[in-house]
Amino acid sequence: MGQTEIKQLAIVSGKGGTGKTTIAAAFAALAKNKVMVDCDVDAADLHLLLKPKVLFQEKYFGGRSPQVDLDKCTQCGLCTEVCRFNAIDNGVVNPISCEGCGFCRHICPEEAIMMEEAFSGDWFVSETPYGPFVHARLGIGEENSGKLVTVVRKKAVEIAKEKKLDLILIDGPPGIGCPVTASLTGVNLVLAITEPTLSGIHDLERILKLSDHFKIPSMVCINKFDINLENTQQITSYCERNGSRLIGKIPYEPKVVEALVSRKTLMEYPCNEVQGIVLKMWDEVETILSIPSSPLVASGSEEPLARRGEGEPACR
C-alpha cells in the first residue's frame, strides 16, 4: 500500500508581529509525524523556539552578479551611462547597489561583462525535539527569497516522503509578495493569524484574498483579541461574510511573552487559558486535514480536552 497524501498547512499573517511563529511552534509541539519548514527566509526565527541541531547545510545561489573581464574592458563608460542604479563605474561594480538586471552585459560592445550566479544565503536540514526541520538564512540585502522558499519546501516534501510523514507544517512569511505566494502554492489549508488593529484587518483581508485566488481553504485566529473588541467584531463579521472559519480568539497574556523569552513553546510553559485555546485550534486543523490525531492534553493535565462535535462545519 502506498503512502497516504502528505497534507500541508501554511500559517501566515498578512503582516508581521501577529504571533504567527508562536502558533507555528505550538503546533510543532502538538503535531505528530510531521516536518516543519520556516519559509520566512528573509527573517527566520522559528529556530529560536525549536532549538535545531543542524544535520546538513548547503549554499544557495539565487541571484546574478556582473563580472567584468578587465582585459576586454575599454572603459568606454557605456555601462555607467545606462545603469539606472549607479552600480557600475567604468567596469567597477558596486555589489550593494547592483540589482542584477544584466543590462550592462547586454549593452557592452566588447562583451566584457558576464552574469554569474551569486551566493545569496544558506539552507539547512536540522533535527529538533519535535521532528525534522528545514530552514534557511537569506543574506543581508539579498533578493529572490521566493526561490529559496521553493527550495526548502521541496526538501521538506522529500523528507516527508522518505520518513513517511503525514504533515508539512509551514511557518510562512508576512505580507502577500513572492515568498508568500511560494509558501502557499499547493498547500491544503491556510491558517491566518491576525490582530484587532487597523493594519491587522487590512492585511488579513489581503492574505485571505490571496488564499481565495489559489482556491485554498482558509481559517483565521485572532491573537490578543481583547485589546480592541470593536475591531475583533469587525474581523469576526468579515470571516462570516467571506466563509473563513474563525477557529480561535486568543486573549492578551503576559505569560506568552515569558514563554518566548524562555525559548519555550506555548505548550511547554504555563500560559493559563491560552494553551486550551491552542489545543482546540489544533483539533480543528486535524479534523479538517484528516490527519491522524492524538489525545489533546494540556501541559500539566491528565485530562484530554473535548473535541469538536461531529458534523460541525469546518471551513470554506
Side-chain angles (χ1 to χ4, degrees):
M1 180 181 293
Q3 182 181 2
T4 58
E5 178 190 359
I6 300 169
K7 301 297 178 66
Q8 299 193 49
L9 168 67
I11 303 175
V12 294
S13 61
K15 68 177 289 293
T18 61
K20 167 181 56 63
T21 298
T22 302
I23 298 300
F27 281 5
L30 289 169
K32 308 297 180 185
N33 298 320
K34 82 287 184 182
V35 55
M36 297 149 293
V37 192
D38 191 346
C39 288
D40 189 4
V41 297
D42 291 275
D45 58 0
L46 185 56
H47 63 280
L48 298 176
L49 296 176
L50 299 190
K51 308 178 185 71
K53 177 183 179 182
V54 175
L55 304 178
F56 175 82
Q57 177 177 348
E58 185 163 316
K59 295 184 181 300
Y60 168 68
F61 295 86
R64 300 188 308 159
S65 177
Q67 301 296 322
V68 181
D69 185 340
L70 296 178
D71 292 332
K72 289 184 178 180
C73 178
T74 61
Q75 295 191 344
C76 66
L78 186 57
C79 58
T80 303
E81 180 182 338
V82 301
C83 181
R84 62 186 302 175
F85 304 106
N86 299 317
I88 186 168
D89 184 13
N90 289 326
V92 179
V93 179
N94 181 343
I96 296 178
S97 301
C98 180
E99 292 289 325
C101 69
F103 192 43
C104 57
R105 181 202 64 80
H106 177 75
I107 206 70
C108 179
E110 303 299 328
E111 298 184 350
I113 303 176
M114 298 296 295
M115 299 300 294
E116 297 183 358
E117 284 191 329
F119 171 68
S120 301
D122 299 275
W123 60 274
F124 313 88
V125 176
S126 298
E127 187 57 50
T128 76
Y130 317 96
F133 177 41
V134 187
H135 50 121
R137 181 176 58 229
L138 195 68
I140 297 173
E142 295 293 340
E143 297 186 356
N144 294 312
S145 56
K147 292 182 180 179
L148 182 52
V149 168
T150 301
V151 169
V152 295
R153 284 193 63 192
K154 284 183 177 179
K155 187 61 181 179
V157 171
E158 290 178 14
I159 293 173
K161 290 180 178 178
E162 176 187 344
K163 296 181 178 292
K164 294 182 170 53
L165 303 176
D166 303 310
L167 175 68
I168 297 176
L169 180 60
I170 299 170
D171 181 18
I176 59 169
C178 179
V180 179
T181 301
S183 301
L184 291 187
T185 51
V187 306
N188 302 94
L189 184 63
V190 165
L191 172 58
I193 312 298
T194 189
E195 62 187 15
T197 62
L198 293 180
S199 59
I201 294 170
H202 174 267
D203 292 344
L204 173 67
E205 293 177 0
R206 296 199 308 165
I207 193 65
L208 291 181
K209 287 178 181 178
L210 182 64
S211 172
D212 192 53
H213 172 78
F214 288 113
K215 296 180 171 56
I216 305 171
S218 60
M219 304 182 302
V220 175
C221 167
I222 307 175
N223 192 21
K224 295 174 287 188
F225 81 92
D226 50 349
I227 65 172
N228 191 317
L229 296 178
E230 182 179 348
N231 284 344
T232 292
Q233 183 55 49
Q234 186 175 339
I235 295 171
T236 301
S237 299
Y238 180 85
C239 291
E240 291 173 352
R241 292 195 308 270
N242 291 274
S244 293
R245 183 177 180 84
L246 179 59
I247 66 165
K249 293 194 295 185
I250 299 174
Y252 173 74
E253 174 53 71
K255 290 287 186 181
V256 172
V257 179
E258 294 179 15
L260 300 181
V261 170
S262 301
R263 296 187 65 187
K264 295 182 181 296
T265 73
L266 299 183
M267 312 319 296
E268 301 169 308
Y269 196 91
C271 293
N272 298 326
E273 62 181 310
V274 172
Q275 283 183 329
I277 296 169
V278 173
L279 282 165
K280 289 181 179 179
M281 287 172 52
W282 176 245
D283 185 28
E284 294 268 4
V285 171
E286 281 187 324
T287 302
I288 294 167
L289 290 179
S290 300
I291 55 178
S293 60
S294 56
L296 300 183
V297 181
S299 177
S301 171
E302 296 180 357
E303 294 296 326
L305 275 74
R307 293 185 178 274
R308 180 167 51 81
E310 293 289 334
E312 186 176 338
C315 64
R316 63 178 179 178

